[in-house]
């Protein structure tokens, strides 16, 4: 019986899952999370981000991520598990974030001293002390410059799967090159969070997988190679600084002597890491077309598998590589969990209070709309944050709770239409998916069954399953993806949240009102007539 280890290095925490996997199924035998703000306060992050004066800038600490990995390995070693049968390790990481290493890193990664903590040995390898992450919206100028040099936004979208986006790694690299050309020149390798963490495990520069590589505006989606036009448009000599691209199932090395000696771990295979959304695709069992998953994490995302890439003509969605070898479509809403928390905290509620307040306001909220762009938004693109209320009093607790939840679900529904999926079933995951009241709104807005997952961290689970899949492939005993996920997606016996057809009809209508309010918030005409017309059509009250 072999053990498989999967990590999820997310915005706010590092999670580790260990599973025993064989033909008979997948059993989780260890699960642990380190929350950065609470357990590593010395780095000073707030929700995993280093505080700063400019709300458009979001950076975090690569040292903190490495430190968390070291501490998690100690927890694992102290867990009492017999880790001698640990066969393979993989991981998931928040997408788009980048880590800048200098030329010393290559040798120093190989020569880490097991007697000393990892973090003290990492600082000397960094060419940049901080890492820009996916919440950063400060690179609009660089997006425009890259688009112009690479033949326009639509051409970049067609080749890379997404038009230039502020948080994507290419525009972030360009901004760094412009702001600090000396430090840029001293950068030998630019990793994503995923390949950085894999490098720490393998003790050598790890390559990147296409799932995460496609979040950079630099990879040719078709060939899974760097697209020279975009690479050249982004920054000088960038081609030499990028990791190699390998299939998601590639073995990038063995767990290095540092970890073996420090924690008595075996030389397990290290499988290429991927992004959290590509890993969640596997962890929610979406290995066939037609179903979607919604992850309610720090960001809210909706995604599904695509056999052929259909690029979003409206320019809000993304096509990424899928770890299963094809593609995935994704839409990301930035004002997710933190927006829900903003409302919860404004009314000094617990999550239970929040759920009760949600149920206390009528579905449709009497046509009152909250546009929850507390922070700059990704979908649709909003450069300066600022929430808007239409007919909603700021001091109405239930109205604002319902307002934020309905708005988020309607935004996901509205901005994922480009994926062209007839959504009948939604696999719900992420920290907020434990909240059944939120999932009921999701089911009614989409008119689809919602299946919550037992393991809320589908990204870490996806990493475990990817480790297993790659390990079997390396042993020339490949297992089909259907079989890999079979045990975890069986909805039998699992709670299914079924939509109410009448409410779904109401939400279909409300969606046009929501779209009118969004358009107004972006500078369009007054939505008051649309709201009044909706009210005249609907008299439904809660119950
Ligand atoms: P990430 O992986 O992006 O770091 P998670 O998927 O772990 O994020 O989700 C963390 C979020 O889950 C927290 O920010 C919190 O707002 C949310 N959350 C946790 N419990 C609940 C709950 N009962 N209801 C709603 N949201 C919740
Ligand atoms: C996806 C995105 C976020 C991050 C953090 O494009 O930006 O979902 O991966 O979770």
């Amino acid at each position: 019986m072999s053990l498989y280890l999967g990590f999820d290095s997310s915005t706010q925490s590092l999670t580790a899952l260990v599973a025993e996997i064989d033909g008979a199924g997948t059993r989780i035998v260890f699960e642990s999370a380190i929350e950065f703000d609470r357990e590593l306060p010395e780095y000073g992050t707030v929700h995993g981000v280093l505080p700063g004066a400019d709300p458009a800038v979001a950076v975090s600490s690569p040292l903190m991520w490495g430190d968390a990995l070291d501490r998690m390995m100690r927890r694992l070693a102290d867990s009492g598990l017999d880790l001698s049968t640990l066969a393979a390790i993989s991981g998931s990481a928040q997408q788009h974030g980048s880590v800048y290493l200098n030329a010393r890193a290559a040798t120093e990664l190989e020569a880490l001293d097991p007697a000393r903590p990892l973090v003290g040995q990492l600082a000397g390898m960094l060419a940049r002390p901080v890492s820009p992450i996916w919440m950063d919206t400060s690179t609009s100028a660089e997006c425009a410059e890259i688009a112009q040099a690479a033949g326009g936004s639509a051409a970049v979208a067609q080749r890379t799967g997404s038009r230039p986006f502020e948080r994507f790694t290419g525009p972030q690299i360009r901004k760094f090159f412009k702001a600090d050309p000396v430090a840029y020149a001293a950068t030998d390798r630019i990793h994503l969070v995923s390949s950085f963490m894999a490098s720490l495990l393998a003790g050598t520069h790890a390559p990147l997988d296409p799932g995460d590589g496609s979040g950079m505006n630099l990879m040719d989606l078709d060939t899974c190679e760097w697209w020279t036009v975009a690479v050249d448009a982004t920054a000088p000599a960038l081609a030499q600084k990028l990791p190699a691209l390998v299939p998601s199932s590639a073995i990038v090395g063995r767990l290095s002597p540092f970890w073996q000696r420090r924690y008595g771990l075996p030389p397990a295979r290290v499988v290429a890491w991927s992004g959290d959304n590509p890993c969640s695709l596997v962890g929610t069992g979406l290995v066939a077309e037609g179903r979607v998953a919604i992850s309610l994490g720090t960001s809210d995302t909706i995604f599904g598998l695509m056999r052929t890439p259909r690029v979003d003509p409206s320019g809000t969605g993304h096509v990424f590589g899928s770890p299963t070898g094809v593609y995935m479509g994704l839409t990301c809403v930035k004002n997710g969990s933190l927006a829900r928390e903003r409302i919860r905290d404004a009314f000094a509620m617990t999550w239970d209070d929040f759920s009760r307040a949600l149920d206390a306001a009528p579905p449709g909220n009497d046509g009152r709309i909250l546009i929850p762009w507390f922070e700059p938004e990704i979908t649709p693109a909003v450069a300066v944050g600022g929430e808007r209320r239409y007919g909603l009093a700021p001091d109405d607790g239930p109205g604002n709770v319902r307002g934020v939840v309905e708005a988020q679900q309607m935004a996901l529904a509205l901005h994922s239409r480009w994926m062209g999926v007839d959504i009948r079933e939604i696999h719900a995951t992420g920290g907020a998916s434990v909240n059944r009241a939120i999932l009921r709104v999701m089911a009614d807005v989409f008119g689809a069954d919602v299946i919550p997952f037992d393991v809320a961290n589908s990204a870490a689970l996806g990493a475990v399953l990817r480790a297993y899949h790659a390990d079997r492939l390396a042993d020339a005993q490949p297992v089909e993806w259907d079989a890999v996920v079979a045990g975890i997606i069986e909805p039998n016996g699992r709670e299914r949240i079924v939509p109410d057809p009448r409410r779904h009809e109401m939400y279909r209508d409300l969606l046009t009102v929501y779209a009118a309010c969004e358009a107004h918030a972006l500078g369009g005409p007054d939505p008051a007539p649309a709201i009044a017309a909706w009210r005249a059509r609907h008299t439904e009250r809660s119950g």
Side-chain angles (χ1 to χ4, degrees):
M1 174 74 59
S2 297
L3 291 180
Y4 295 91
L5 166 58
F7 288 102
D8 177 30
S9 181
S10 76
T11 316
Q12 304 191 53
S13 56
L14 176 75
T15 301
L17 275 189
V18 179
E20 247 175 22
I21 309 182
D22 58 19
T26 299
R27 285 166 303 283
I28 306 291
V29 294
F30 174 88
E31 175 165 15
S32 179
I34 293 177
E35 203 189 307
F36 301 139
D37 295 3
R38 203 162 44 83
E39 293 177 68
L40 296 171
E42 58 272 37
Y43 295 93
T45 57
V46 178
H47 294 300
V49 185
L50 292 169
D54 184 347
V57 170
V59 294
S60 190
S61 165
L63 294 182
M64 177 180 76
W65 300 329
D67 200 351
L69 185 64
D70 198 4
R71 293 180 194 218
M72 186 58 89
M73 286 299 207
R74 178 169 303 283
R75 267 190 207 176
L76 253 177
D78 291 347
S79 68
L81 268 182
D82 173 11
L83 291 161
S84 61
T85 58
L86 182 66
I89 309 174
S90 190
S92 145
Q94 56 171 311
Q95 296 197 250
H96 318 296
S98 42
V99 181
Y100 300 73
L101 299 185
N102 61 33
R104 290 203 298 279
T107 44
E108 291 184 10
L109 278 171
E110 278 177 30
L112 292 171
D113 174 3
R116 291 189 293 134
L118 177 66
V119 64
Q121 305 180 65
L122 269 183
M125 301 182 204
L126 296 179
R128 182 179 183 183
V130 297
S131 291
I133 64 158
W134 67 275
M135 296 168 108
D136 191 287
T137 52
S138 68
T139 63
S140 299
E142 289 74 19
C143 288
E145 289 159 5
I146 291 169
Q148 182 163 27
S153 275
V156 176
Q158 207 54 48
R159 271 300 177 126
T160 71
S162 304
R163 67 165 169 81
F165 272 87
E166 281 76 0
R167 70 190 190 287
F168 276 43
T169 324
Q172 292 292 339
I173 292 172
R174 179 162 180 81
K175 181 183 165 195
F176 179 54
F177 150 70
K178 283 164 60 184
D180 195 346
V182 176
Y184 175 78
T187 302
D188 180 60
R189 185 63 46 92
I190 303 175
H191 279 292
L192 292 186
V193 183
S194 60
S195 58
F196 170 64
M197 298 296 278
S199 302
L200 297 182
L201 292 177
T204 184
H205 280 307
L208 263 179
D209 96 308
D212 218 15
S214 45
M216 301 173 81
N217 282 140
L218 292 171
M219 192 191 88
D220 185 327
L221 202 56
D222 204 25
T223 60
C224 292
E225 287 169 5
W226 297 120
W227 181 35
T228 323
V229 174
V231 172
D232 292 346
T234 298
L238 178 55
Q240 293 118 262
K241 301 182 199 285
L242 293 173
L245 285 158
V246 294
S248 297
S249 56
I251 309 293
V252 305
R254 293 274 177 178
L255 191 63
S256 76
F258 172 79
W259 302 105
Q260 293 180 39
R261 298 206 191 108
R262 190 162 167 77
Y263 297 120
L265 296 169
R269 285 174 168 144
V270 178
V271 177
W273 283 42
S274 188
D276 51 1
N277 294 295
C279 286
S280 273
L281 189 82
V282 173
T284 53
L286 297 185
V287 298
E289 241 172 343
R291 281 180 298 203
V292 298
I294 292 182
S295 169
L296 304 174
T298 308
S299 62
D300 288 350
T301 57
I302 178 166
F303 51 87
L305 188 107
M306 274 183 181
R307 295 237 157 260
T308 45
R310 293 182 294 276
V311 172
D312 175 16
S314 73
T316 51
H318 316 296
V319 181
F320 292 150
S322 150
T324 59
V326 282
Y327 303 94
M328 64 183 287
L330 176 137
T331 294
C332 176
V333 172
K334 185 179 170 198
N335 284 284
S337 279
L338 302 187
R340 288 183 285 274
E341 284 180 23
R342 185 82 80 114
I343 297 291
R344 183 199 64 175
D345 296 344
F347 295 98
M349 293 174 176
T350 62
W351 283 124
D352 283 342
D353 299 335
F354 185 91
S355 305
R356 276 191 292 274
L358 180 56
D359 288 336
N365 222 5
D366 292 324
R368 298 170 300 170
I369 301 281
L370 171 63
I371 301 286
W373 300 334
F374 296 99
E375 300 295 330
E377 182 47 69
I378 292 168
T379 308
V382 179
V384 181
E387 72 278 21
R388 303 281 190 114
R389 288 180 175 78
Y390 296 89
L392 183 61
D395 61 354
D396 174 345
N400 279 274
V401 168
R402 188 158 273 283
V404 71
V405 172
E406 289 186 341
Q408 291 172 324
Q409 295 308 316
M410 287 193 285
L412 288 170
L414 188 64
H415 299 295
S416 60
R417 283 181 175 161
W418 67 272
M419 284 165 60
V421 182
D422 180 19
I423 301 173
R424 291 288 157 82
E425 195 173 284
I426 298 169
H427 295 189
T429 180
S433 68
V434 298
N435 192 316
R436 296 299 185 260
I438 296 177
L439 299 192
R440 268 197 299 279
V441 177
M442 181 187 287
D444 288 339
V445 168
F446 282 86
D449 287 10
V450 173
I451 302 175
F453 273 70
D454 298 339
V455 179
N457 197 326
S458 58
L461 181 59
V464 167
L465 297 175
R466 290 184 48 245
Y468 168 67
H469 176 266
D471 184 54
R472 293 294 301 259
L473 194 64
D475 282 342
Q477 295 176 325
V479 186
E480 293 296 325
W481 279 110
D482 295 8
V484 172
V485 303
I488 57 145
I489 56 159
E490 276 309 319
N492 290 347
R494 199 171 276 153
E495 177 188 1
R496 199 177 253 274
I497 299 163
V498 177
D500 174 313
R502 226 163 31 97
R503 285 188 190 164
H504 175 54
E505 274 314 304
M506 179 276 293
Y507 279 123
R508 273 165 58 103
D509 197 14
L510 190 64
L511 206 52
T512 59
V513 177
Y514 179 76
C517 294
E518 247 196 17
H520 175 257
L522 293 169
D526 185 358
I531 296 173
W534 182 91
R535 284 206 179 119
R537 286 193 296 275
H538 295 269
T539 50
E540 190 187 46
R541 290 293 181 273
S542 64

